[in-house]
Amino acid sequence: MNLAAIRMLAAPALLLATGGCVSLGGGKPPPFLLTLSAAKPVAAGASASGTSATAIMVMEPETDQRLAVLRIPVQVDDTQVAYLTGTAWVERPARLFRALLAETLRGRTTALVLEDSQAAAISGTRLSGRLIDMGFDARSQSVVVRYDAMRTAPDGAVETKRFEARVPGVQPKPELVGPALNQAANEVAGKVADWMTAP
């Protein structure tokens, strides 16, 4: 599909998204609702325990306004952003990505892994950062997930690293973009987990 077709596909959704969010409660929901699921979820019955000093706290990533809505962004060119029609996230992508990071970390470490939405104060390691991209790139016909991670150690030492994953050859259709985004997000989460648990 060429760029002109992408613009025609995404422009109506761009108008809908200018209000800042998409309401799924009052109106008819889109045909496709997307979420993220861990490629290797923690098994039922698995448990973890630890102290505040050894726990890992996963913070919700910061985002710009482009990713602060429930729509899936389409990067049309260097300056134009639209939204994919016929689909939406079940909740903000930053929250979905935080949950995926935490679940992936739980599968890679014996440490207690918490999310910042849970009522707990820890003195251990914090994973925070910025979700830069999680959408469709019309120029390369691919989905892109890009995350700037920041690891803060208990002693206050800070380290940052950028992670990115792409799935090429994807058509701008919800039933194709959704699984590709989940694949790319899992790839990034796996790389982040390896970084966080490296000796």
Side-chain angles (χ1 to χ4, degrees):
M1 185 175 289
N2 59 32
L3 290 181
I6 291 287
R7 290 189 179 98
M8 291 177 62
L9 175 72
L14 179 60
L15 295 176
L16 288 175
T18 55
C21 65
V22 178
S23 174
L24 300 180
K28 183 179 179 181
F32 291 90
L33 293 175
L34 303 182
T35 189
L36 298 177
S37 58
K40 296 181 179 179
V42 177
S47 62
S49 61
T51 67
S52 174
T54 61
I56 299 173
M57 179 68 80
V58 181
M59 313 297 289
E60 182 176 328
E62 297 179 0
T63 63
D64 60 21
Q65 287 300 313
R66 183 173 53 95
L67 292 175
V69 297
L70 300 183
R71 292 293 195 180
I72 288 79
V74 176
Q75 194 70 40
V76 179
D77 55 32
D78 289 345
T79 59
Q80 295 185 72
V81 177
Y83 290 91
L84 190 65
T85 57
T87 187
W89 293 110
V90 296
E91 65 176 322
R92 291 202 317 267
R95 287 184 179 179
L96 294 173
F97 189 65
R98 175 192 63 190
L100 179 64
L101 286 171
E103 183 70 2
T104 304
L105 272 167
R106 290 183 188 112
R108 302 285 183 92
T109 179
T110 58
L112 182 64
V113 178
L114 302 173
E115 299 175 43
D116 63 344
S117 59
Q118 297 170 309
I122 72 164
S123 56
T125 302
R126 288 182 180 268
L127 171 62
S128 58
R130 185 174 184 83
L131 185 60
I132 301 171
D133 211 346
M134 193 158 74
F136 182 78
D137 187 343
R139 299 162 296 185
S140 61
Q141 295 285 288
S142 61
V143 302
V144 183
V145 175
R146 187 178 297 116
Y147 174 61
D148 274 353
M150 182 168 69
R151 177 174 59 195
T152 305
D155 63 2
V158 176
E159 184 179 358
T160 63
K161 188 171 183 178
R162 175 167 290 187
F163 297 89
E164 179 179 316
R166 289 177 176 265
V167 178
V170 180
Q171 296 181 28
K173 298 179 180 180
E175 65 270 25
L176 301 178
V177 170
L181 280 170
N182 194 59
Q183 177 184 334
N186 269 279
E187 183 178 337
V188 169
K191 291 176 181 177
V192 173
D194 288 342
W195 177 63
M196 290 290 293
T197 57

